[in-house]
Amino acid sequence: MSSFYDHTHTVFGHHKSKILNWIFSIDHKRVAILYLFTTMAFFLVGVAVALLMRLELFAPGQQFIDPDTYNQAFTLHGTIMTFLFIIPALPAIFGNFLLPLMIGAKDVSFPRLNLLSWWLYMAGASLAVFSLFWGEGFADTGWTFYAPYSSTTGTNVVMALTAAYILGLSSMLTGINFVVTIHRLRAPGMTFFKMPLFIWGSYSAAWIQILATPVVGITLILVVLERTLGVGIFDPSKGGDPILYEHLFWIYSHPAVYLMILPAFGVVSEIVPTFCRRTIFGYKSIAISSLLIAIVGYMVWGHHMFTSGMADWAKIVFSFLTFFVAVPTGVKFFDWVATMYKGSIVFKTPMLWVMGTIITFGIGGITGLVLGTVGIDIHVHDTYYVVAHFHYTMFGGVAFMLFAAMHYWFPKVTGKMYNEAKAKVSFYLIFIGFNVLWFPMFIAGFLGMPRRYFDYLPQFEIYHQIAGIGALITVAGIFYMIYVLIKGARKGEKAPDNPWGGTTLEWQISSPPPLENFATIPYVDFEPYMYKDGKPVIDISDQLKGIK
Amino acid sequence: MSVHGSTEVQKYAYDKNGKPHEIVDFADDYIGAKLGFWLFLFTEVMLFSVLFITYMFYLYNHQADFIEQSGGMNILLGGINTVLLLLSAYFMGMSLVSMKQNNVSKSKLYLILTIVSAIIFLTIKYFEWAHEFHIGIYPNSEKLLAMSQGANLFFGLYFTMTGLHAIHIILGIGVMLWVFTKMRNNSINSKHYIVLENTALYWDLVHLVWVFLFPLVYIIGL
């Protein structure tokens, strides 16, 4: 059976060159794989920069890099990880790959626009990399680019901001594409409440991409105008208000963390029923809570600015709204646990990752509530406590679920199986390393270790050293995981169409899927996640593959 | 322009009772194309909203300065431009209506009239800006820096907002020229006019932004 690796559609007709057939392909699965390789490459760069900082902080004083380089390093790390890795990772890789497969469509609504998004991503990424080697090097403002420092520092802020703007455009176009695809291309009969939950997560995330990204886009442009022309919207000497920058920045960047996590929650909702062999508990509540998180998440940005100067009543409103986000999130967690309850859980690697993330994201989420409390936030604001919280949610939530997805859909994407035992080892390595790396930061932060500092007092040395060891374990685990996956893709056993007993449509076609996915588009009058006696109830694979 | 590999496109899926249900073809979906463009316009609205909110915020803080500076603007030129854009939106709409009625030459004529009025708009805009530059008012100029903070913010926002709006006009002209070539080679016709329709929607947004910009810049100082 020929797969999408053998044939493709491109923008400019057929090419002889294999590379051109990839970078001009408008097939959603190929675009997804382009994103997979590029985002993972940047992830490794981000990891390398982080490791450099951890090694530098292993002892007080200067070891390898000077303070200015350190400032550039944490800016580079933050910019790469947010704009080049974690925002595009789940929507652009797995959203692209799975969206049409799960809703029974042949492609996304705008395949050319989809490819353009990847090209824009590459353009933004190249510009960011280029700015490393130009003039005074990469920006040293932190990935938040706070004014007025960002409009006065001598480093390449304009290039970094332009890159972020282009990346935002790419993310926005992906969002538009997904919303239209979900509205228009669901297979006949598939109502919104018959969609897989990963689609619900991607749908909510796509709306955030559409609504919030333009806000940060124009804000970054205003900083560019300030640096190049001296317009002065955020310049206090010209009457501008730097706090306004912080508001506008966080109006995007706080919803952005929900746009990162919502598809990750979707991944959990796919994996849990499959490995528990049970219908998911509270399908509708999970679906609607995704939308609720997206809506409420839009109104909580002020909690980043409790120490920046804001009316007390505004702080209380923002604090209360922040607590409220925990409600739909908690609904999801209880639904997942209720699904597991009395299920015959199969602990394959994807399920292990989910179990891991229920612990790490649980910690990350609850410490988020601590930070959302006005009084406590004044104490721990801009300390390692925030760094630890952020990584527990973003790495322990989003990246963990990206890794889970990489294992769960591995057979579907590659048509091969990875080595289960080795994959489990890589999970335990990363999980243990992760906790050793970031848990001490909660304590250090609570004791007063500020974030983004090049040097520290001797009493914090022990926490930095434990974290340094954790970093080494984590990095070893990441490389081992990548090795196991690459080896699986090259030399693994051939995968069956449905190795895990999944119920969504992508498991009922061949692995890897053929070009245009389905021989026949079905009429979907059934819900996902239906199991009986530990087996999926619906089997329409013959119809989908065109076998009469 | 099909991206389908197979020549045959499945049109219907059948439910249990054998009833046919239409399948939306992703390569030829009029409603999808329009929905996507509306979402894009939505992002544009968000983009300009940020600037309008910023304007509102600074107007609130520096009311007297804003009103004083607005009083010095040339309301005649701004007014002519407003009428011009309103006219151009009419031309654009008529171009679409004519295309739907299969009157291609009339549609082309109206599109050209739209382009011409957009160019006149930009020309007038150019003279306005040139005048301000001539008397020494531009971001970071000595004269402006010597003026009040409110004046700095007013002109900062004025140049940013009218500048961004002008960029949208320029992009619009580019798109309309592209649409014109598509009309000539008949890929936009009375059956497939979605590109023209979306261009018209875009043009309405550009003109709508100006409708709000005009009173904020020119009228509040009256």
Side-chain angles (χ1 to χ4, degrees):
Chain A
M1 178 98 191
S2 73
S3 74
F4 75 97
Y5 291 105
D6 306 315
H7 302 288
T8 192
H9 303 311
T10 68
V11 223
F12 304 118
H14 189 71
H15 301 282
K16 273 189 183 156
S17 153
K18 262 193 171 171
I19 294 174
L20 292 183
N21 268 330
W22 273 92
I23 60 173
F24 291 129
S25 174
I26 50 174
D27 179 21
H28 67 100
K29 301 181 284 299
R30 284 202 175 198
V31 175
I33 288 174
L34 289 175
Y35 268 116
L36 174 72
F37 281 99
T38 42
T39 51
M40 285 311 283
F42 281 109
F43 171 65
L44 292 180
V45 176
V47 167
V49 178
L51 192 64
L52 179 69
M53 287 190 287
R54 270 290 120 223
L55 293 175
E56 168 59 43
L57 289 167
F58 204 78
Q62 183 169 339
Q63 266 72 239
F64 310 103
I65 49 176
D66 59 82
D68 288 335
T69 316
Y70 181 84
N71 290 348
Q72 291 178 318
F74 70 66
T75 307
L76 183 64
H77 171 75
T79 309
I80 287 183
M81 286 306 202
T82 36
F83 293 112
L84 292 174
F85 171 63
I86 218 149
I87 289 177
L90 270 167
I93 302 170
F94 287 98
N96 253 328
F97 197 91
L98 293 168
L99 193 67
L101 291 178
M102 282 183 158
I103 62 174
K106 297 198 166 188
D107 207 316
V108 290
S109 272
F110 312 114
R112 287 183 183 81
L113 191 69
N114 202 17
L115 180 66
L116 177 70
S117 302
W118 181 76
W119 276 98
L120 284 174
Y121 171 87
M122 289 308 283
S126 317
L127 191 61
V129 171
F130 180 68
S131 82
L132 281 172
F133 308 104
W134 179 270
E136 300 210 18
F138 202 76
D140 59 349
T141 56
W143 75 278
T144 44
F145 301 108
Y146 270 17
Y149 182 65
S150 57
S151 40
T152 52
T153 171
T155 49
N156 277 326
V157 173
V158 169
M159 274 192 211
L161 291 176
T162 313
Y165 179 81
I166 296 172
L167 292 167
L169 194 62
S170 151
S171 154
M172 205 173 78
L173 294 177
T174 306
I176 292 176
N177 215 341
F178 282 11
V179 170
V180 176
T181 307
I182 291 168
H183 273 282
R184 294 295 299 158
L185 298 183
R186 279 169 291 125
M190 185 185 271
T191 54
F192 261 68
F193 285 113
K194 286 188 183 115
M195 294 193 307
L197 287 164
F198 179 71
I199 305 298
W200 271 99
S202 304
Y203 181 69
S204 315
W207 269 109
I208 301 177
Q209 285 175 305
I210 295 171
L211 281 172
T213 318
V215 177
V216 81
I218 187 69
T219 310
L220 300 182
I221 289 180
L222 286 176
V223 179
V224 170
L225 290 179
E226 186 146 343
R227 284 187 70 96
T228 49
L229 305 173
V231 169
I233 306 287
F234 304 125
D235 181 352
S237 70
K238 292 173 187 162
D241 191 346
I243 304 284
L244 182 67
Y245 173 86
E246 294 183 27
H247 277 289
L248 293 175
F249 180 81
W250 288 114
I251 285 176
Y252 164 75
S253 297
H254 196 80
V257 304
Y258 297 114
L259 104 76
M260 302 166 194
I261 198 68
L262 283 168
F265 286 163
V267 172
V268 180
S269 305
E270 294 301 322
I271 291 175
V272 167
T274 303
F275 290 98
C276 298
R277 302 283 184 269
R278 285 192 70 188
T279 306
I280 195 145
F281 184 89
Y283 170 92
K284 277 194 182 170
S285 62
I286 295 184
I288 291 179
S289 64
S290 295
L291 279 182
L292 259 183
I293 293 175
I295 295 166
V296 182
Y298 211 86
M299 300 182 284
V300 302
W301 77 87
H303 67 215
H304 290 271
M305 303 166 55
F306 285 157
T307 59
S308 304
M310 194 195 292
D312 282 342
W313 64 268
K315 285 184 199 168
I316 291 165
V317 170
F318 278 124
S319 180
F320 176 77
L321 286 168
T322 307
F323 293 159
F324 189 73
V325 181
V327 176
T329 314
V331 165
K332 281 179 192 285
F333 269 70
F334 290 128
D335 281 338
W336 295 327
V337 175
T339 309
M340 290 177 210
Y341 179 67
K342 286 192 175 174
S344 48
I345 304 175
V346 189
F347 276 107
K348 298 278 189 188
T349 316
M351 190 63 192
L352 271 183
W353 279 107
V354 167
M355 298 306 287
T357 213
I358 283 181
I359 298 168
T360 51
F361 192 85
I363 296 174
I366 288 167
T367 51
L369 290 177
V370 175
L371 284 169
T373 317
V374 181
I376 302 177
D377 184 67
I378 306 289
H379 177 70
V380 289
H381 183 83
D382 263 354
T383 65
Y384 266 41
Y385 196 89
V386 179
V387 178
H389 155 73
F390 186 75
H391 285 90
Y392 262 85
T393 49
M394 289 298 113
F395 197 103
V398 186
F400 272 25
M401 281 310 96
L402 175 72
F403 299 157
M406 280 163 63
H407 288 88
Y408 183 58
W409 282 290
F410 186 87
K412 190 49 67 186
V413 177
T414 61
K416 305 269 179 61
M417 294 300 282
Y418 56 85
N419 184 317
E420 189 69 43
K422 286 181 182 169
K424 279 181 181 163
V425 172
S426 68
F427 163 75
Y428 283 112
L429 268 177
I430 297 177
F431 184 73
I432 293 167
F434 171 88
N435 283 293
V436 176
L437 167 54
W438 277 296
F439 202 83
M441 292 195 196
F442 279 125
I443 305 166
F446 213 81
L447 295 174
M449 171 74 213
R451 72 193 285 202
R452 292 176 173 173
Y453 272 33
F454 170 74
D455 202 356
Y456 52 84
L457 296 171
Q459 64 258 40
F460 292 118
E461 190 171 11
I462 179 73
Y463 304 107
H464 284 285
Q465 291 189 340
I466 298 172
I469 292 163
L472 290 173
I473 304 173
T474 311
V475 171
I478 290 169
F479 275 102
Y480 189 63
M481 179 184 76
I482 292 173
Y483 161 78
V484 170
L485 288 178
I486 289 177
K487 202 173 172 207
R490 292 169 67 94
K491 293 186 180 147
E493 284 172 44
K494 204 177 164 334
D497 292 348
N498 190 0
W500 317 121
T503 52
T504 39
L505 291 180
E506 82 271 22
W507 297 113
Q508 306 202 20
I509 53 174
S510 49
S511 306
L515 184 64
E516 295 197 348
N517 310 336
F518 303 101
T520 324
I521 288 174
Y523 183 80
V524 181
D525 52 357
F526 48 86
E527 285 164 5
Y529 320 119
M530 286 205 290
Y531 284 97
K532 205 182 173 203
D533 304 326
K535 288 213 165 57
V537 173
I538 304 288
D539 182 5
I540 50 169
S541 55
D542 286 353
Q543 185 196 347
L544 296 183
K545 287 190 226 165
I547 306 166
K548 292 282 160 171
Chain B
M1 285 270 288
S2 172
V3 288
H4 285 291
S6 49
T7 45
E8 219 178 295
V9 179
Q10 184 191 352
K11 286 228 161 58
Y12 299 101
Y14 296 89
D15 63 16
K16 279 199 196 84
N17 306 322
K19 203 174 145 211
H21 295 266
E22 203 183 335
I23 296 168
V24 176
D25 178 4
F26 74 99
D28 182 20
D29 178 14
Y30 170 76
I31 296 175
K34 218 162 141 177
L35 176 62
F37 203 78
W38 271 105
L39 291 173
F40 168 72
L41 291 181
F42 210 37
T43 68
E44 291 276 61
V45 170
M46 293 302 293
L47 193 88
F48 280 105
S49 306
V50 170
L51 291 173
F52 280 116
I53 285 178
T54 308
Y55 188 97
M56 205 174 76
F57 174 66
Y58 287 131
L59 173 64
Y60 179 77
N61 284 334
H62 302 271
Q63 214 164 21
D65 290 337
F66 269 52
I67 288 170
E68 190 195 335
Q69 296 312 323
S70 169
M73 303 300 292
N74 191 333
I75 194 167
L76 182 67
L77 291 182
I80 293 173
N81 262 349
T82 309
V83 175
L84 258 175
L85 270 195
L86 278 167
L87 259 179
S88 78
Y90 166 77
F91 293 144
M92 188 79 230
M94 284 312 288
S95 172
L96 178 63
V97 170
S98 314
M99 182 54 83
K100 282 184 181 173
Q101 291 165 347
N102 203 12
N103 195 339
V104 181
S105 54
K106 205 171 160 192
S107 177
K108 277 186 197 161
L109 178 70
Y110 273 120
L111 190 68
I112 289 171
L113 281 174
T114 318
I115 296 173
V116 170
S117 35
I119 290 171
I120 301 175
F121 175 93
L122 284 177
T123 317
I124 293 178
K125 195 86 241 155
Y126 167 78
F127 282 115
E128 259 188 291
W129 275 40
H131 171 70
E132 276 133 15
F133 276 60
H134 183 71
I135 59 170
I137 289 182
Y138 50 89
N140 233 8
S141 72
E142 270 172 44
K143 190 176 173 192
L144 195 57
L145 287 176
M147 288 158 82
S148 67
Q149 289 193 333
N152 270 280
L153 287 168
F154 178 83
F155 282 108
L157 282 164
Y158 163 75
F159 284 116
T160 308
M161 292 171 88
T162 54
L164 189 68
H165 181 257
I167 288 174
H168 277 78
I169 301 253
I170 293 166
L171 287 176
I173 293 173
V175 170
M176 284 188 277
L177 290 172
W178 172 66
V179 166
F180 189 75
T181 59
K182 279 179 97 79
M183 281 178 172
R184 281 176 60 123
N185 66 24
N186 201 27
S187 59
I188 293 178
N189 51 50
S190 61
K191 295 259 157 49
H192 297 98
Y193 49 79
I194 181 67
V195 178
L196 179 61
E197 189 165 356
N198 283 343
T199 311
L201 282 172
Y202 172 84
W203 198 248
D204 277 340
L205 178 93
V206 171
H207 135 242
L208 196 67
V209 168
W210 181 260
V211 167
F212 285 95
L213 209 49
F214 175 63
L216 286 177
V217 174
Y218 298 89
I219 298 185
I220 58 163
L222 277 184

